[in-house]
Amino acid sequence: MFKRTRQDERAREWSAFEQEAMPHMDDLFRIAKWLMRDRGEAEDLVQETFMQALQSFHRYEQGTNARAWLVTIMYRTRSKRIRQASRLRLVSDVDERIAETVAFEPPTPQGINDEEVLRALEHLPSQFQEVVVLSDVEDFTYKEIAETMDVPIGTVMSRLSRGRKLLRAELSKYANEQGIRSAGADK
Amino acid sequence: MQCSDFYKIADSYLGDELLIETNHEVISHLEACPACHRELAARRELRVQLRAAFANSAALQPSPAFTNRLHMQLRAKALHETTTVTWGLWMAIAASILLVFTVGLLATRQTTHNTPIEIVDSGRGNRNEATQVTSPSPQPNSTSDAVNLFMAEAAELAAGDHRDCAIDYKLAEKPIPLEEAGRRYDRAYINLASVVMSQQNQLAGGVQFVEAHSCGFNGKRFGHIILKEGKHLVSVLVTDLDDAPAEIAAQSSPEARQPIVNSSVEGYQVSYFATAKHGIFIVSDLEAARNSQIASILAPSVYEHIKRTERLI
């Protein structure tokens, strides 16, 4: 009797998890693959993330942003792995200074293909890449990014602003080399 | 609002992070300022390009095999009973299994008087080759007990491998291709997947092949075929019995076949049988009857295949 009740409870929990969390697996993989670069490592990270999410699903507040909750777990899992591997990389002041030097807003080139956009993004310092991806690709709010990355909202805003500037500078550089027209350029 | 003010909050405007009043100010400014309007369009365009790049890049998409496997692993983990079993409880379980087997063997010997023992599949009313027990030569009880205990321990390892490999995918050592393991470790692994899958029609129930490899768990190497039935993963695990006590191997004739034994380990159903030198384990979280049925269907062909390889050794 008790066993049957427990099984029913487990089935209900799984059904809720399947409904709330599973639809975000592809999104999480894309972020993981971007962060880890390696497919195998990305799969490991996504797997560990979902396993942990399943274990702590009772803490998830139904109706809130499940994707942000999962991405937060993924970032923490990744941070833990980096710490365990003693590869902790602090935010580089040099990177921050480089971003500061991008004083103007270069126009956004058109006619650039997807691979070129991703290549340009790869040239950004990682802390800028991550904020840009979470904001512009995943549509996270500043607050969600701050919680996910465990940084103040002000840091999110400044990194996002600098990251976008750097990205436009990269794209603009590429467009100039290829002779591609830019959107947003004064005509 | 000045253009410089707009530049400072343009990102927040795009991200819908501004207060309603500030939003109104931005909109008013944009209506009056073509340059800022173009700048906003450029920032929007950047977001569109980025999203499209992420959505379209094949390199950033998960493989269907990965998402499928993870889905099944999660489901198995979610629905599986994960009660921690203490060592003391294991000892009690082992003792119970031992007692049941001993009593069972004594009872069958008393009623059959050396006639061949057959276990009939009562569900179909047909003789089930897989569960047939050839007439065992009279053996000291201590040997039977030792065999049973040894196989029960091997079944625990098989269940552990199913959990860590098929379900949690967290083995310390990376699995290797089955055929390679067949060449390096155990000939029984060669063609094992084909032999198992040759019974796909008989298994019915929509049983599908997931993968085949060789993996290790707690120092024990297995040939591992992973199947799935609906959302359940089923492991067919084959391992050598080289580390069995010498008296067990010595008394196991090549033609001797153990009955299919059904047990439950950590909530998994484990059905197992043995050849002279190998143990074959079917592990899943299916109902006990279905797990046993799968074992019964696979047993004849797997048994014959492994027996053939043992003759070659």
Side-chain angles (χ1 to χ4, degrees):
Chain A
M1 179 68 175
F2 172 78
K3 193 177 175 191
R4 175 55 57 194
T5 309
R6 181 73 189 119
Q7 280 174 347
D8 290 346
E9 193 184 320
R10 280 173 177 274
R12 274 198 301 277
E13 280 173 8
W14 165 246
S15 176
F17 185 82
E18 205 173 21
Q19 206 175 339
E20 293 277 345
M22 298 305 276
H24 304 297
M25 195 185 285
D26 286 8
D27 279 338
L28 253 76
F29 182 84
R30 276 193 284 272
I31 300 172
K33 178 69 172 43
W34 183 259
L35 292 172
M36 309 303 285
R37 299 293 191 259
D38 176 80
R39 181 165 286 272
E41 285 186 33
E43 287 182 352
D44 283 351
L45 181 60
V46 172
Q47 184 190 27
E48 195 176 338
T49 299
F50 271 89
M51 288 291 178
Q52 288 188 9
L54 181 63
Q55 274 184 333
S56 55
F57 189 56
H58 58 281
R59 275 184 255 154
Y60 167 70
E61 205 177 313
Q62 301 256 341
T64 58
N65 188 342
R67 194 160 49 115
W69 176 67
L70 288 164
V71 172
T72 303
I73 294 174
M74 189 162 80
Y75 264 79
R76 286 180 189 156
T77 305
R78 176 173 163 260
S79 300
K80 197 171 139 198
R81 285 182 171 202
I82 292 172
R83 275 199 304 276
Q84 281 170 347
S86 304
R87 286 191 280 119
L88 182 61
R89 179 176 173 272
L90 296 172
V91 172
S92 160
D93 287 343
V94 176
D95 287 343
E96 299 278 4
R97 282 201 296 275
I98 290 168
E100 287 287 6
T101 61
V102 184
F104 78 110
E105 306 273 352
T108 306
Q110 292 178 319
I112 286 193
N113 66 35
D114 295 335
E115 280 72 30
E116 288 156 354
V117 173
L118 295 178
R119 216 175 300 139
L121 184 61
E122 274 181 32
H123 284 148
L124 271 58
S126 61
Q127 67 269 33
F128 297 120
Q129 284 183 37
E130 290 172 20
V131 176
V132 168
V133 169
L134 290 179
S135 172
D136 290 352
V137 179
E138 298 301 329
D139 215 14
F140 278 31
T141 64
Y142 290 170
K143 187 168 176 283
E144 286 167 345
I145 298 171
E147 284 171 0
T148 298
M149 299 185 71
D150 200 19
V151 295
I153 285 183
T155 306
V156 171
M157 292 168 72
S158 65
R159 284 188 190 175
L160 188 57
S161 170
R162 291 170 197 175
R164 284 172 175 161
K165 263 190 220 176
L166 281 170
L167 182 57
R168 284 171 69 173
E170 282 291 334
L171 289 171
S172 181
K173 196 164 70 184
Y174 181 82
N176 287 338
E177 286 166 9
Q178 303 295 315
I180 295 171
R181 190 171 66 84
S182 297
D186 288 330
K187 292 161 191 164
Chain B
M1 177 178 283
Q2 302 299 309
C3 292
S4 57
D5 298 329
F6 167 75
Y7 267 63
K8 279 178 197 162
I9 60 171
D11 285 324
S12 299
Y13 175 74
L14 267 179
D16 201 19
E17 299 273 357
L18 298 176
L19 296 170
I20 295 172
E21 297 76 14
T22 319
N23 258 342
H24 285 313
E25 288 179 37
V26 171
I27 292 166
S28 301
H29 177 75
L30 289 172
E31 283 171 355
C33 179
C36 286
H37 199 276
R38 278 196 297 276
E39 172 58 25
L40 186 69
R43 294 187 188 207
R44 276 212 177 99
E45 175 66 20
L46 186 64
R47 283 165 72 100
V48 169
Q49 283 182 330
L50 269 173
R51 280 180 200 208
F54 265 74
N56 298 334
S57 169
L60 294 176
Q61 311 309 317
S63 71
F66 167 71
T67 52
N68 193 26
R69 188 184 70 220
L70 182 52
H71 195 130
M72 285 193 293
Q73 286 171 342
L74 287 163
R75 184 184 182 281
K77 195 174 177 66
L79 301 180
H80 167 59
E81 193 65 51
T82 53
T83 310
T84 307
V85 182
T86 61
W87 176 245
L89 188 52
W90 276 121
M91 291 302 286
I93 291 168
S96 303
I97 291 170
L98 199 61
L99 185 64
V100 167
F101 271 101
T102 308
V103 170
L105 280 171
L106 284 172
T108 49
R109 277 183 192 145
Q110 281 170 359
T111 54
T112 55
H113 304 290
N114 285 340
T115 54
I117 301 166
E118 292 179 0
I119 297 172
V120 176
D121 182 345
S122 57
R124 290 182 299 177
N126 299 323
R127 183 175 131 176
N128 185 334
E129 285 294 325
T131 52
Q132 177 186 355
V133 182
T134 55
S135 176
S137 56
Q139 292 171 352
N141 281 347
S142 59
T143 304
S144 299
D145 295 347
V147 170
N148 294 333
L149 185 59
F150 178 79
M151 288 301 288
E153 285 171 352
E156 287 175 18
L157 288 176
D161 189 90
H162 172 75
R163 182 195 60 226
D164 280 10
C165 182
I167 304 297
D168 290 346
Y169 203 63
K170 63 171 188 187
L171 289 176
E173 189 187 329
K174 199 177 174 186
I176 60 173
L178 199 53
E179 301 301 307
E180 183 189 333
R183 290 190 297 274
R184 285 171 56 184
Y185 302 111
D186 191 338
R187 297 173 67 99
Y189 299 159
I190 296 174
N191 292 331
L192 182 61
S194 311
V195 170
V196 168
M197 290 318 293
S198 69
Q199 301 304 306
Q200 190 173 16
N201 289 342
Q202 279 68 39
L203 288 171
V207 172
Q208 292 179 331
F209 174 78
V210 176
E211 67 177 79
H213 60 243
S214 173
C215 50
F217 177 76
N218 277 8
K220 190 75 182 154
R221 177 156 293 282
F222 290 94
H224 192 176
I225 317 293
I226 305 175
L227 310 172
K228 68 169 180 175
E229 180 169 74
K231 292 177 175 177
H232 301 273
L233 287 171
V234 181
S235 286
V236 179
L237 292 146
V238 174
T239 190
D240 67 55
L241 300 180
D242 288 351
D243 49 355
E247 63 267 31
I248 295 176
Q251 293 200 25
S252 298
S253 79
E255 298 307 319
R257 194 188 307 187
Q258 302 294 325
I260 289 183
V261 178
N262 296 305
S263 66
S264 177
V265 180
E266 285 191 70
Y268 294 113
Q269 297 304 322
V270 185
S271 302
Y272 56 93
F273 57 98
T275 63
K277 295 175 182 171
H278 289 85
I280 299 95
F281 305 85
I282 286 68
V283 190
S284 76
D285 62 350
L286 290 163
E287 293 291 322
R290 177 57 178 156
N291 195 72
S292 179
Q293 187 188 33
I294 291 173
S296 301
I297 293 167
L298 294 178
S301 54
V302 173
Y303 181 85
E304 288 306 319
H305 166 73
I306 294 177
K307 207 170 68 173
R308 245 192 329 271
T309 66
E310 287 173 358
R311 286 197 205 105
L312 297 171
I313 296 170

